[in-house]
Short mmCIF file of all heavy atoms in Angstrom, two decimals:
data_model
loop_
_atom_site.label_atom_id
_atom_site.label_comp_id
_atom_site.label_asym_id
_atom_site.label_seq_id
_atom_site.Cartn_x
_atom_site.Cartn_y
_atom_site.Cartn_z
N LYS K 105 -20.03 23.93 -6.34
CA LYS K 105 -20.65 23.64 -7.54
C LYS K 105 -21.15 22.15 -7.55
O LYS K 105 -20.38 21.21 -7.10
CB LYS K 105 -19.67 23.79 -8.58
CG LYS K 105 -20.22 23.53 -10.11
CD LYS K 105 -19.30 23.76 -11.12
CE LYS K 105 -18.71 25.02 -11.22
NZ LYS K 105 -17.62 25.14 -12.33
N ASN K 106 -22.28 21.91 -7.94
CA ASN K 106 -22.99 20.62 -7.88
C ASN K 106 -23.19 20.07 -6.45
O ASN K 106 -23.51 18.76 -6.37
CB ASN K 106 -22.23 19.66 -8.79
CG ASN K 106 -22.07 20.15 -10.19
OD1 ASN K 106 -23.03 20.56 -10.79
ND2 ASN K 106 -21.06 19.92 -10.81
N ALA K 107 -23.03 20.76 -5.44
CA ALA K 107 -23.17 20.27 -4.09
C ALA K 107 -24.64 20.14 -3.78
O ALA K 107 -25.41 20.86 -4.36
CB ALA K 107 -22.56 21.28 -3.07
N TYR K 108 -24.92 19.00 -3.05
CA TYR K 108 -26.28 18.74 -2.66
C TYR K 108 -26.36 18.01 -1.33
O TYR K 108 -25.22 17.38 -1.09
CB TYR K 108 -27.04 18.10 -3.89
CG TYR K 108 -26.63 16.63 -3.99
CD1 TYR K 108 -27.49 15.59 -3.53
CD2 TYR K 108 -25.45 16.35 -4.71
CE1 TYR K 108 -27.00 14.24 -3.69
CE2 TYR K 108 -25.07 15.06 -4.82
CZ TYR K 108 -25.97 13.98 -4.31
OH TYR K 108 -25.69 12.70 -4.54
N LEU K 109 -27.43 17.90 -0.73
CA LEU K 109 -27.59 17.05 0.49
C LEU K 109 -28.24 15.72 0.08
O LEU K 109 -29.34 15.70 -0.56
CB LEU K 109 -28.61 17.74 1.43
CG LEU K 109 -28.60 17.24 2.83
CD1 LEU K 109 -27.36 17.24 3.42
CD2 LEU K 109 -29.67 17.91 3.57
N PRO K 110 -27.32 14.57 0.25
CA PRO K 110 -27.91 13.32 -0.26
C PRO K 110 -28.72 12.53 0.58
O PRO K 110 -29.14 11.46 0.30
CB PRO K 110 -26.48 12.54 -0.38
CG PRO K 110 -25.72 13.16 0.64
CD PRO K 110 -26.08 14.59 0.74
N TYR K 111 -29.29 13.08 1.63
CA TYR K 111 -30.35 12.50 2.43
C TYR K 111 -31.34 13.46 2.98
O TYR K 111 -31.02 14.83 2.89
CB TYR K 111 -29.53 11.76 3.66
CG TYR K 111 -28.70 12.67 4.52
CD1 TYR K 111 -29.34 13.41 5.62
CD2 TYR K 111 -27.40 12.98 4.14
CE1 TYR K 111 -28.57 14.22 6.42
CE2 TYR K 111 -26.65 13.87 5.01
CZ TYR K 111 -27.20 14.49 6.18
OH TYR K 111 -26.53 15.37 6.75
N ARG K 112 -32.35 13.05 3.55
CA ARG K 112 -33.52 13.97 4.01
C ARG K 112 -33.89 13.67 5.43
O ARG K 112 -35.04 13.74 5.73
CB ARG K 112 -34.56 13.85 2.95
CG ARG K 112 -34.39 14.07 1.59
CD ARG K 112 -33.82 15.40 1.29
NE ARG K 112 -34.86 16.58 1.52
CZ ARG K 112 -34.65 17.83 1.44
NH1 ARG K 112 -33.42 18.20 1.15
NH2 ARG K 112 -35.63 18.69 1.78
N ASP K 113 -32.90 13.29 6.22
CA ASP K 113 -33.21 12.97 7.65
C ASP K 113 -32.83 14.23 8.50
O ASP K 113 -31.64 14.52 8.67
CB ASP K 113 -32.48 11.78 8.08
CG ASP K 113 -32.72 11.35 9.47
OD1 ASP K 113 -33.63 12.02 10.13
OD2 ASP K 113 -32.09 10.53 10.00
N PRO K 114 -33.74 14.98 9.00
CA PRO K 114 -33.54 16.18 9.87
C PRO K 114 -32.54 15.91 11.09
O PRO K 114 -31.68 16.69 11.37
CB PRO K 114 -34.80 16.75 10.25
CG PRO K 114 -35.77 16.14 9.43
CD PRO K 114 -35.19 14.75 8.92
N GLU K 115 -32.81 14.72 11.71
CA GLU K 115 -32.08 14.42 12.97
C GLU K 115 -30.53 14.15 12.61
O GLU K 115 -29.74 14.53 13.34
CB GLU K 115 -32.70 13.22 13.73
CG GLU K 115 -34.07 13.51 14.16
CD GLU K 115 -34.18 14.76 15.10
OE1 GLU K 115 -33.19 15.00 15.92
OE2 GLU K 115 -34.80 15.61 14.97
N THR K 116 -30.35 13.49 11.59
CA THR K 116 -28.88 13.21 11.08
C THR K 116 -28.26 14.45 10.87
O THR K 116 -27.14 14.78 11.28
CB THR K 116 -28.96 12.30 9.90
OG1 THR K 116 -29.40 11.03 10.12
CG2 THR K 116 -27.44 12.04 9.43
N LEU K 117 -28.99 15.48 10.10
CA LEU K 117 -28.32 16.67 9.83
C LEU K 117 -28.16 17.62 11.05
O LEU K 117 -26.99 18.23 11.17
CB LEU K 117 -29.23 17.41 8.74
CG LEU K 117 -28.69 18.87 8.29
CD1 LEU K 117 -27.30 18.70 7.64
CD2 LEU K 117 -29.58 19.58 7.46
N ARG K 118 -29.03 17.52 11.97
CA ARG K 118 -28.88 18.44 13.22
C ARG K 118 -27.70 17.83 14.00
O ARG K 118 -26.85 18.59 14.41
CB ARG K 118 -30.19 18.20 13.98
CG ARG K 118 -30.06 19.30 15.15
CD ARG K 118 -31.36 19.16 16.12
NE ARG K 118 -32.69 19.52 15.38
CZ ARG K 118 -33.02 20.77 15.18
NH1 ARG K 118 -32.20 21.80 15.67
NH2 ARG K 118 -34.05 21.04 14.53
N ALA K 119 -27.63 16.57 14.04
CA ALA K 119 -26.34 15.93 14.88
C ALA K 119 -25.17 16.16 14.07
O ALA K 119 -23.99 16.61 14.75
CB ALA K 119 -26.62 14.59 15.05
N PHE K 120 -25.09 16.20 12.82
CA PHE K 120 -23.92 16.45 12.04
C PHE K 120 -23.48 17.88 12.26
O PHE K 120 -22.26 18.21 12.43
CB PHE K 120 -24.19 16.15 10.56
CG PHE K 120 -23.27 16.61 9.57
CD1 PHE K 120 -21.87 15.95 9.65
CD2 PHE K 120 -23.37 17.48 8.54
CE1 PHE K 120 -20.88 16.34 8.71
CE2 PHE K 120 -22.46 17.83 7.74
CZ PHE K 120 -21.06 17.25 7.74
N LEU K 121 -24.48 18.86 12.01
CA LEU K 121 -24.08 20.39 12.04
C LEU K 121 -23.72 20.68 13.47
O LEU K 121 -22.88 21.66 13.72
CB LEU K 121 -25.29 21.18 11.54
CG LEU K 121 -25.68 21.09 10.12
CD1 LEU K 121 -26.81 22.00 9.67
CD2 LEU K 121 -24.43 21.26 9.04
N LYS K 122 -24.17 19.99 14.50
CA LYS K 122 -23.84 20.31 15.88
C LYS K 122 -22.30 19.98 16.09
O LYS K 122 -21.62 20.82 16.71
CB LYS K 122 -24.69 19.54 16.86
CG LYS K 122 -24.25 19.79 18.29
CD LYS K 122 -25.21 18.97 19.13
CE LYS K 122 -24.94 19.27 20.68
NZ LYS K 122 -25.81 18.37 21.53
N ILE K 123 -21.86 18.95 15.38
CA ILE K 123 -20.49 18.57 15.55
C ILE K 123 -19.68 19.62 14.74
O ILE K 123 -18.56 20.10 15.17
CB ILE K 123 -20.11 17.22 15.04
CG1 ILE K 123 -20.66 16.16 16.01
CG2 ILE K 123 -18.69 16.91 14.77
CD1 ILE K 123 -20.02 16.17 17.29
N ILE K 124 -20.04 20.04 13.51
CA ILE K 124 -19.33 21.01 12.67
C ILE K 124 -19.20 22.24 13.50
O ILE K 124 -18.23 23.02 13.44
CB ILE K 124 -19.98 21.13 11.37
CG1 ILE K 124 -20.03 19.93 10.55
CG2 ILE K 124 -19.41 22.29 10.54
CD1 ILE K 124 -18.64 19.31 10.26
N ASP K 125 -20.31 22.61 14.20
CA ASP K 125 -20.35 23.93 14.99
C ASP K 125 -19.12 23.97 16.04
O ASP K 125 -18.88 24.93 16.68
CB ASP K 125 -21.80 24.04 15.73
CG ASP K 125 -21.96 25.42 16.21
OD1 ASP K 125 -21.65 26.49 15.56
OD2 ASP K 125 -22.41 25.58 17.47
N GLU K 126 -18.71 22.82 16.57
CA GLU K 126 -17.64 22.74 17.53
C GLU K 126 -16.33 23.08 17.04
O GLU K 126 -15.22 23.41 17.78
CB GLU K 126 -17.70 21.42 18.24
CG GLU K 126 -18.99 20.91 19.01
CD GLU K 126 -18.76 19.56 19.51
OE1 GLU K 126 -17.64 19.00 19.55
OE2 GLU K 126 -19.81 19.09 19.91
N PHE K 127 -16.11 23.14 15.59
CA PHE K 127 -14.84 23.45 15.16
C PHE K 127 -14.38 24.84 15.30
O PHE K 127 -15.33 25.68 15.14
CB PHE K 127 -14.77 23.07 13.54
CG PHE K 127 -14.69 21.76 13.20
CD1 PHE K 127 -15.77 20.80 13.07
CD2 PHE K 127 -13.33 21.02 12.96
CE1 PHE K 127 -15.55 19.41 12.85
CE2 PHE K 127 -13.15 19.73 12.68
CZ PHE K 127 -14.36 18.94 12.65
N GLU K 128 -13.29 25.06 15.71
CA GLU K 128 -12.73 26.46 15.96
C GLU K 128 -11.62 26.74 14.98
O GLU K 128 -10.73 25.79 14.71
CB GLU K 128 -12.29 26.73 17.42
CG GLU K 128 -13.36 26.48 18.23
CD GLU K 128 -12.84 26.69 19.71
OE1 GLU K 128 -11.50 26.74 20.07
OE2 GLU K 128 -13.62 26.58 20.72
N TYR K 129 -11.48 27.89 14.21
CA TYR K 129 -10.54 28.22 13.27
C TYR K 129 -9.68 29.35 13.80
O TYR K 129 -9.84 30.44 13.27
CB TYR K 129 -11.25 28.40 11.90
CG TYR K 129 -12.19 27.53 11.46
CD1 TYR K 129 -13.47 27.91 11.06
CD2 TYR K 129 -11.89 26.18 11.32
CE1 TYR K 129 -14.44 26.91 10.72
CE2 TYR K 129 -12.73 25.22 10.96
CZ TYR K 129 -14.08 25.50 10.65
OH TYR K 129 -14.92 24.64 10.26
N ASP K 130 -8.82 29.20 14.75
CA ASP K 130 -8.12 30.24 15.20
C ASP K 130 -6.99 30.60 14.20
O ASP K 130 -6.38 31.69 14.13
CB ASP K 130 -7.50 29.98 16.61
CG ASP K 130 -6.76 28.67 16.68
OD1 ASP K 130 -6.82 27.86 15.71
OD2 ASP K 130 -6.02 28.37 17.67
N HIS K 131 -6.59 29.58 13.38
CA HIS K 131 -5.75 29.92 12.20
C HIS K 131 -5.94 28.68 11.12
O HIS K 131 -6.36 27.65 11.48
CB HIS K 131 -4.28 29.97 12.63
CG HIS K 131 -3.63 28.76 13.24
ND1 HIS K 131 -3.48 27.56 12.69
CD2 HIS K 131 -3.39 28.71 14.61
CE1 HIS K 131 -2.98 26.85 13.56
NE2 HIS K 131 -2.95 27.43 14.72
N SER K 132 -5.72 29.11 9.91
CA SER K 132 -6.09 28.08 8.82
C SER K 132 -5.28 26.87 8.80
O SER K 132 -5.58 25.85 8.42
CB SER K 132 -5.84 28.86 7.45
OG SER K 132 -4.44 29.11 7.26
N GLU K 133 -4.00 26.90 9.45
CA GLU K 133 -3.17 25.77 9.58
C GLU K 133 -3.96 24.71 10.31
O GLU K 133 -3.82 23.52 9.92
CB GLU K 133 -1.80 25.99 10.32
CG GLU K 133 -0.94 24.80 10.51
CD GLU K 133 -0.55 24.38 9.10
OE1 GLU K 133 -0.37 25.11 8.03
OE2 GLU K 133 -0.18 23.18 9.01
N ARG K 134 -4.58 24.99 11.43
CA ARG K 134 -5.33 23.93 12.17
C ARG K 134 -6.39 23.33 11.40
O ARG K 134 -6.68 22.19 11.34
CB ARG K 134 -5.92 24.55 13.54
CG ARG K 134 -6.74 23.48 14.20
CD ARG K 134 -7.24 24.13 15.59
NE ARG K 134 -6.06 24.32 16.51
CZ ARG K 134 -6.18 24.72 17.75
NH1 ARG K 134 -7.29 25.13 18.17
NH2 ARG K 134 -5.04 25.00 18.32
N LEU K 135 -7.09 24.22 10.51
CA LEU K 135 -8.18 23.69 9.71
C LEU K 135 -7.55 22.85 8.55
O LEU K 135 -8.11 21.83 8.17
CB LEU K 135 -8.96 24.82 9.08
CG LEU K 135 -10.20 24.61 8.18
CD1 LEU K 135 -11.22 23.70 8.84
CD2 LEU K 135 -10.65 25.69 7.60
N GLY K 136 -6.38 23.27 8.00
CA GLY K 136 -5.68 22.56 7.08
C GLY K 136 -5.29 21.09 7.48
O GLY K 136 -5.48 20.19 6.80
N ASP K 137 -4.73 21.05 8.77
CA ASP K 137 -4.39 19.59 9.25
C ASP K 137 -5.64 18.78 9.48
O ASP K 137 -5.60 17.66 9.36
CB ASP K 137 -3.71 19.82 10.62
CG ASP K 137 -2.28 20.37 10.52
OD1 ASP K 137 -1.71 20.22 9.43
OD2 ASP K 137 -1.72 20.88 11.32
N ALA K 138 -6.71 19.46 9.94
CA ALA K 138 -8.09 18.73 10.10
C ALA K 138 -8.37 18.14 8.74
O ALA K 138 -8.92 17.04 8.69
CB ALA K 138 -9.09 19.66 10.70
N PHE K 139 -8.34 19.01 7.79
CA PHE K 139 -8.80 18.53 6.31
C PHE K 139 -7.78 17.46 5.83
O PHE K 139 -8.38 16.48 5.25
CB PHE K 139 -8.79 19.77 5.38
CG PHE K 139 -9.33 19.37 3.98
CD1 PHE K 139 -10.66 19.08 3.97
CD2 PHE K 139 -8.55 19.31 2.99
CE1 PHE K 139 -11.19 18.83 2.62
CE2 PHE K 139 -9.16 19.06 1.70
CZ PHE K 139 -10.46 18.79 1.61
N GLU K 140 -6.59 17.55 6.13
CA GLU K 140 -5.62 16.40 5.63
C GLU K 140 -5.94 15.11 6.30
O GLU K 140 -6.01 14.16 5.70
CB GLU K 140 -4.27 16.82 6.09
CG GLU K 140 -3.61 17.77 4.95
CD GLU K 140 -2.16 17.89 5.25
OE1 GLU K 140 -1.35 17.02 4.68
OE2 GLU K 140 -1.71 18.85 5.82
N TYR K 141 -6.46 15.20 7.64
CA TYR K 141 -6.87 14.02 8.32
C TYR K 141 -8.09 13.43 7.73
O TYR K 141 -8.20 12.26 7.52
CB TYR K 141 -7.10 14.22 9.84
CG TYR K 141 -7.65 13.17 10.54
CD1 TYR K 141 -6.85 11.87 10.82
CD2 TYR K 141 -9.00 13.23 10.95
CE1 TYR K 141 -7.47 10.77 11.47
CE2 TYR K 141 -9.59 12.11 11.66
CZ TYR K 141 -8.75 10.90 11.86
OH TYR K 141 -9.33 9.81 12.55
N LEU K 142 -8.95 14.31 7.37
CA LEU K 142 -10.27 14.00 6.73
C LEU K 142 -9.95 13.22 5.38
O LEU K 142 -10.58 12.25 5.05
CB LEU K 142 -11.19 15.17 6.42
CG LEU K 142 -12.41 14.94 5.70
CD1 LEU K 142 -13.40 13.99 6.45
CD2 LEU K 142 -13.09 16.35 5.57
N LEU K 143 -9.05 13.71 4.66
CA LEU K 143 -8.64 13.06 3.33
C LEU K 143 -8.11 11.69 3.45
O LEU K 143 -8.20 10.93 2.61
CB LEU K 143 -7.68 14.00 2.64
CG LEU K 143 -8.11 15.35 2.13
CD1 LEU K 143 -6.97 16.04 1.41
CD2 LEU K 143 -9.27 15.21 1.26
#
Side-chain angles (χ1 to χ4, degrees):
K105 187 183 295 183
N106 301 321
Y108 72 101
L109 191 64
Y111 57 91
R112 305 298 296 176
D113 179 8
E115 294 308 312
T116 297
L117 180 62
R118 188 181 295 281
F120 173 66
L121 294 183
K122 183 178 179 182
I123 288 295
I124 298 297
D125 191 49
E126 296 178 8
F127 281 87
E128 298 177 356
Y129 308 128
D130 54 350
H131 53 73
S132 65
E133 180 63 30
R134 176 173 296 178
L135 183 58
D137 285 340
F139 186 68
E140 282 191 78
Y141 173 69
L142 177 60
L143 292 179

